[in-house]
């Protein structure tokens, strides 16, 4: 086959002396050896053959020295015994500059600024360069710069984060007649200098009354806006009395710690926690612990003014967390909710979240939340760094059936009724769900449950029970009426939650007594008439 016309034929230079032309080979001609396609290049203005050696792999290329020539008309010719094809490129050398990649990158940096420098091989050509900066989050920024010095270039990158790694590389193009970018330089990874910690720590406390004072467990964590700005940090905790201005006490901790416990008396205290690195301290985070009120009902988590007992309100869980709402009060500048991730353990992994003054509800979620565990939440209002307990909540991510069923402690029988009592059943004890009420099950005499006030309930094995529902969990006594006398029954009492109830396993068995009224009626209707008849008959015979 004859050769194809050379595709994508184009010429360029890095230094305006050595020109390189490239093109695509085209399809297979199926001619080999001395009959394979032959390439030649010629310059039309000088009517000379270009003195270069063609090499082909993925693309074909040919390079040669053009000397002082600036306008070129290059033709590539490909031919074999079956035909010949040509392609032409006419160009001004100054418009086809493809610079060499910048090299020898180095930098100077501060905590928020990097100046990047590089060198050029194209020393006679004015270049326009572009710097690619990869941010810590993977985002890419491009910065343009014009190189006034022909042998080197630089760019200053500002607004950076302290003690943070950035990766930069540079490529350049001709400033006057841009043709294409050079290859990228080698990438340089740069870390900015350290600076003082920015932002403040998020701090909280847990107060436990003890004889003569209080134990205060302090917790701290890095808020989303906090940055260490250094290789390592430590923490400094300081506390002092508010009233008398006594000498503060302080203690330092390494970065692996996020809590400590201090002991204070019943006076009001100011507690501050700061992060520290090799440069300086962060701004202090402050808590005020009010003076103890003498209220014997101080709880584990709170120190608040007033003696009113706060009722615990039940809250509901969802697939995404546990929904908490509270009544907003205009006097507070923020709200805090705290809870334990593992309420049955000590320490319980206390957690807390802060909310703005215009917030009155939140969905609390945690990877530690599991179905069947009761979580207790405390809602605080904070003003002037002083927190007051406002509301208490308790709830489950999802309720499960309770494993603790009522134990029937007392059974009272009549010939047509039975009264069951389970007075000591602990409805407020920690369960797998809130006890919402009870079901009383009674075995019927016939398959169809006809006991008044009951509903038919079919067990997995197909047997039938009559079910009565008690919707008040504090009502722990129930009378099943309309039973038959002198009859065997089996009964069971089950507690239920929003998650249902456990399968029925054990029954209690009763025998209703014989109905004495029936006996009296039998005597009146059968025995007495028979006796009267017998006496009359005897008299008649006599």
């Amino acid at each position: 086959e004859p050769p194809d016309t050379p595709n994508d034929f184009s010429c360029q230079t890095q230094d305006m002396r050595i020109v390189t032309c490239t093109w695509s080979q085209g399809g297979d001609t199926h001619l080999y050896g001395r009959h394979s396609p032959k390439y030649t290049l010629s310059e039309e203005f000088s009517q000379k053959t270009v003195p270069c050696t063609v090499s082909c792999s993925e693309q074909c290329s040919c390079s040669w020295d053009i000397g002082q020539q600036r306008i070129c008309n290059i033709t590539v010719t490909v031919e074999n015994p079956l035909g010949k094809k040509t392609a032409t490129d006419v160009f001004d050398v100054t418009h086809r500059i493809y610079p060499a990649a910048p090299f020898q990158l180095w930098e100077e940096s501060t905590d928020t600024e990097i100046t990047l420098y590089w060198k050029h091989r194209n020393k006679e050509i004015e270049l326009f360069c572009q710097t690619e900066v990869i941010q810590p989050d993977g985002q890419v920024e491009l910065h343009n710069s014009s190189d006034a010095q022909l042998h080197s270039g630089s760019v200053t990158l500002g607004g950076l984060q302290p003690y943070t790694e950035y990766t930069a590389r540079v490529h350049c193009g001709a400033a006057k007649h841009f043709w294409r970018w050079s290859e990228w330089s080698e990438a340089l990874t740069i870390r900015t200098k350290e600076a003082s910690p920015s932002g403040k720590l998020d701090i909280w406390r847990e107060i436990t009354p003890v004889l003569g004072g209080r134990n205060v467990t302090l917790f701290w964590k890095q808020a989303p806006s906090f940055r260490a700005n250094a290789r390592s940090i430590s923490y400094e905790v300081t506390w002092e009395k508010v009233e008398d201005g006594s000498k503060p006490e302080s203690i330092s901790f390494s970065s692996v710690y996020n809590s400590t416990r201090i002991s204070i008396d019943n006076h009001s205290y100011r507690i501050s926690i700061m992060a520290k690195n090799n440069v300086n301290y962060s701004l202090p985070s402050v808590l005020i612990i009010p003076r103890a009120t003498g209220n014997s009902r101080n709880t584990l988590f709170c120190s608040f003014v007033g003696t009113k007992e706060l009722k615990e309100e039940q809250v509901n869980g969802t697939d995404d967390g546990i929904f908490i709402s509270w009544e907003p009060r205009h006097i507070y500048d923020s709200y805090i909710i705290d809870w334990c991730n593992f309420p049955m353990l000590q320490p319980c992994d206390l957690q807390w979240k802060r909310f703005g003054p215009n917030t009155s509800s939140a969905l609390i979620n945690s990877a530690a939340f599991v179905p069947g565990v009761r979580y207790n939440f405390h809602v605080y209002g904070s003003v002037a760094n002083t927190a007051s307990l406002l509301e208490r909540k308790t709830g489950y991510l999802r309720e499960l059936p309770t494993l603790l069923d009522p134990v029937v402690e007392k059974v009272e029988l009549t010939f047509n009724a039975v009264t069951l009592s389970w007075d000591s059943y602990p409805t407020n004890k920690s369960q797998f769900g809130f006890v919402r009420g009870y079901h009383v099950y009674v075995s019927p005499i016939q398959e169809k449950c006809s006991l008044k006030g009951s509903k038919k309930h079919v067990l997995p094995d197909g047997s039938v029970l009559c079910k009565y529902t008690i919707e008040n969990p504090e009502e722990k006594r129930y009378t099943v009426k309309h039973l038959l006398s002198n009859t065997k029954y089996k009964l069971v009492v089950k507690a239920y939650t929003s998650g249902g109830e456990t399968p029925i396993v054990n029954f209690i068995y009763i025998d209703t007594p014989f109905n004495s009224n029936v006996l009296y009626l039998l005597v009146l209707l059968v025995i007495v008439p028979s006796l009267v008849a017998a006496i009359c008959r005897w008299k008649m015979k006599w």
Side-chain angles (χ1 to χ4, degrees):
E1 295 180 10
D4 292 333
T5 300
N7 291 324
D8 304 321
F9 181 58
S10 175
C11 303
Q12 60 189 17
T13 179
Q14 285 194 336
D15 56 5
M16 295 194 297
R17 289 186 60 86
I18 304 299
V19 169
T20 300
C21 295
T22 59
W23 65 92
S24 300
Q25 294 186 72
D28 191 353
T29 63
H30 304 290
L31 295 175
Y32 308 103
R34 62 190 182 90
H35 299 300
S36 61
K38 301 293 188 297
Y39 294 97
T40 57
L41 275 77
S42 60
E43 206 288 309
E44 296 299 320
F45 294 144
S46 63
Q47 295 292 309
K48 293 181 180 180
T49 300
V50 172
C52 71
T53 302
V54 176
S55 63
C56 296
S57 54
E58 293 181 2
Q59 273 193 328
C60 295
S61 67
C62 196
S63 301
W64 74 100
D65 190 338
I66 62 169
Q68 298 300 316
Q69 188 173 350
R70 289 293 173 262
I71 306 297
C72 297
N73 184 348
I74 308 297
T75 298
V76 58
T77 302
V78 56
E79 60 181 322
N80 65 15
L82 300 179
K84 178 170 69 172
K85 298 287 176 61
T86 62
T88 300
D89 187 16
V90 180
F91 58 94
D92 183 331
V93 173
T94 61
H95 293 193
R96 293 291 182 88
I97 296 174
Y98 170 60
F103 69 104
Q104 207 172 45
L105 272 68
W106 77 99
E107 45 75 29
E108 295 175 353
S109 66
T110 65
D111 56 341
T112 60
E113 198 171 81
I114 294 172
T115 301
L116 188 66
Y117 301 92
W118 58 87
K119 290 186 176 181
H120 298 304
R121 289 186 172 88
N122 309 81
K123 297 183 179 179
E124 297 84 15
I125 303 169
E126 185 180 348
L127 298 178
F128 173 78
C129 297
Q130 191 174 66
T131 303
E132 178 192 79
V133 180
I134 302 177
Q135 302 284 332
D137 59 3
Q139 290 189 352
V140 175
E141 290 184 359
L142 296 175
H143 299 262
N144 297 329
S145 61
S146 296
D147 292 349
Q149 298 181 3
L150 298 181
H151 63 281
S152 65
S154 67
V155 66
T156 297
L157 313 172
L160 307 180
Q161 295 285 357
Y163 198 69
T164 301
E165 280 192 350
Y166 296 87
T167 300
R169 60 179 185 171
V170 184
H171 65 183
C172 300
K176 289 185 177 178
H177 304 288
F178 183 86
W179 166 244
R180 62 177 57 172
W181 292 112
S182 70
E183 296 296 322
W184 286 105
S185 68
E186 289 187 1
L188 182 65
T189 298
I190 310 152
R191 184 183 288 277
T192 50
K193 297 291 191 292
E194 295 186 355
S196 302
S198 54
K200 296 161 65 172
L201 297 171
D202 186 0
I203 67 174
W204 192 231
R205 82 290 186 278
E206 184 181 79
I207 302 173
T208 307
V210 293
L211 187 63
R214 294 158 291 176
N215 287 336
V216 180
T217 304
L218 299 167
F219 303 89
W220 57 87
K221 60 186 177 183
Q222 296 182 4
S225 61
F226 178 86
R227 286 185 54 85
N229 294 336
R231 177 190 296 273
S232 62
I233 59 171
S234 58
Y235 302 105
E236 186 168 297
V237 178
T238 303
W239 64 100
E240 60 184 328
K241 289 182 181 179
V242 173
E243 291 94 345
D244 59 10
S246 58
K247 183 179 179 182
E249 298 181 69
S250 65
I251 186 170
S252 296
F253 299 91
S254 70
S255 60
V256 299
Y257 290 91
N258 62 4
S259 67
T260 187
R261 189 174 73 177
I262 62 173
S263 296
I264 61 175
D265 57 27
N266 290 322
H267 289 86
S268 178
Y269 275 80
R270 181 184 186 273
I271 298 173
S272 69
I273 304 179
M274 296 182 291
K276 179 186 177 184
N277 61 20
N278 293 328
V279 179
N280 209 336
Y281 288 92
S282 69
L283 294 172
S285 299
V286 178
L287 279 174
I288 302 297
I289 307 297
R291 174 188 292 272
T293 61
N295 176 18
S296 60
R297 183 53 186 93
N298 282 309
T299 66
L300 182 63
F301 298 98
C302 60
S303 174
F304 59 96
V305 177
T307 58
K308 182 181 177 181
E309 179 72 21
L310 293 176
K311 186 179 179 181
E312 198 169 57
E313 179 188 348
Q314 293 183 6
V315 292
N316 297 319
T318 69
D319 291 338
D320 300 319
I322 299 175
F323 184 76
I324 308 292
S325 64
W326 59 92
E327 180 185 345
R329 285 84 161 173
H330 69 278
I331 63 170
Y332 297 112
D333 53 35
S334 65
Y335 297 96
I336 303 101
I337 298 177
D338 72 8
W339 71 94
C340 284
N341 267 345
F342 305 100
M344 303 304 292
L345 301 180
Q346 278 299 331
C348 69
D349 189 21
L350 183 73
Q351 302 291 314
W352 71 98
K353 280 189 176 182
R354 294 181 178 272
F355 303 92
N358 298 322
T359 306
S360 59
S361 64
L363 186 66
I364 305 298
N365 50 40
S366 167
F369 286 173
V370 294
V373 173
R374 183 183 292 190
Y375 298 97
N376 298 315
F377 301 88
H378 303 81
V379 181
Y380 298 83
S382 178
V383 60
N385 299 318
T386 304
S388 302
L389 181 64
L390 304 179
E391 299 179 26
R392 301 175 61 182
K393 315 285 183 177
T394 184
Y396 297 81
L397 183 68
R398 177 164 54 86
E399 294 185 42
L400 299 178
T402 175
L403 295 181
L404 182 64
D405 275 323
V407 176
V408 177
E409 300 156 346
K410 188 176 181 182
V411 178
E412 300 174 16
L413 282 171
T414 66
F415 67 88
N416 66 346
V418 59
T419 300
L420 308 174
S421 301
W422 53 96
D423 293 332
S424 63
Y425 183 70
T427 54
N428 291 325
K429 189 175 180 181
S430 183
Q431 302 256 13
F432 293 95
F434 296 119
V435 176
R436 309 287 181 174
Y438 309 96
H439 289 139
V440 178
Y441 295 94
V442 182
S443 60
I445 301 302
Q446 300 173 345
E447 284 296 303
K448 183 179 180 181
C449 184
S450 58
L451 289 175
K452 186 177 179 181
S454 68
K455 293 183 178 180
K456 184 177 179 180
H457 179 79
V458 181
L459 295 177
D461 62 3
S463 58
V464 175
L465 296 176
C466 297
K467 181 172 78 171
Y468 300 87
T469 299
I470 306 168
E471 296 182 347
N472 180 4
E474 298 305 320
E475 188 177 328
K476 303 175 185 179
R477 179 182 176 90
Y478 192 77
T479 299
V480 181
K481 300 177 180 179
H482 311 294
L483 301 179
L484 297 179
S485 62
N486 197 28
T487 305
K488 291 182 179 292
Y489 290 93
K490 59 181 181 180
L491 305 94
V492 66
V493 179
K494 302 287 290 183
Y496 67 87
T497 69
S498 293
E501 63 188 36
T502 54
I504 297 172
V505 178
N506 298 317
F507 289 91
I508 59 173
Y509 297 87
I510 63 167
D511 290 300
T512 53
F514 187 80
N515 189 348
S516 58
N517 293 333
V518 175
L519 181 60
Y520 298 146
L521 188 61
L522 182 64
V523 170
L524 292 174
L525 296 180
V526 178
I527 298 178
V528 171
S530 298
L531 184 59
V532 171
I535 293 172
C536 291
R537 187 175 180 182
W538 175 74
K539 284 186 175 182
M540 288 174 65
K541 283 185 178 182
W542 184 80

